[in-house]
Amino acid sequence: YSTPGCTFTSNTIVANDGDGIWAGNPDSGSMSVVNCIVAFNDGPAVALSATYPADIAFECVCSFGNAGGDTLPGTTATCIYEDPLFCDVGSGDYTLASDSPCAPGGACGPVGALAVGCTESPVAPVSWGRLKSVLGR
């Protein structure tokens, strides 16, 4: 839930049973979301009530893998629509891999609430032939 005039800065909003961010206050005003990750939520990255004025500014926000969509409704600047490469989603470790697009060193600097916690992304590209040889097929 959000109130107009508020700013979300450096948050990691992940794995919610519903929306990542829900803006429902019908009062006039604006909202800013800066250097946040909104990923892998069961609803959309951002949902607005029918009466929300939709004056939202997104800057350096990573939106990815949200079941209801990754669209950021409002003004966007330098947003990232790539996998944030968390260290271990299965165990709830949402620190970032060193090669994450949200890690320090990118156009936005560090994005999200947590720092780099593992040295490389947990998933590496592999050819189908290599995978079959590992599986013994």
Side-chain angles (χ1 to χ4, degrees), residues 63-85:
S63 179
F64 183 82
N66 297 289
D70 297 325
T71 301
L72 301 172
T75 306
T76 59
T78 321
C79 290
I80 303 164
Y81 298 94
E82 298 177 48
D83 189 334
L85 300 177

Side-chain angles (χ1 to χ4, degrees), residues 26-118:
D27 297 331
S28 63
S30 63
M31 180 172 77
S32 298
V33 182
V34 181
N35 285 73
C36 293
I37 298 172
V38 184
F40 305 113
N41 296 290
D42 288 344
V46 178
L48 305 175
S49 74
T51 56
Y52 194 81
D55 185 12
I56 304 175
F58 298 93
E59 183 177 345
C60 292
V61 172
C62 177
S63 179
F64 183 82
N66 297 289
D70 297 325
T71 301
L72 301 172
T75 306
T76 59
T78 321
C79 290
I80 303 164
Y81 298 94
E82 298 177 48
D83 189 334
L85 300 177
F86 295 122
C87 291
D88 190 354
V89 173
S91 70
D93 180 358
Y94 301 117
T95 55
L96 301 170
S98 60
D99 56 345
S100 166
C102 303
C108 294
V111 176
L114 304 172
V116 171
C118 51

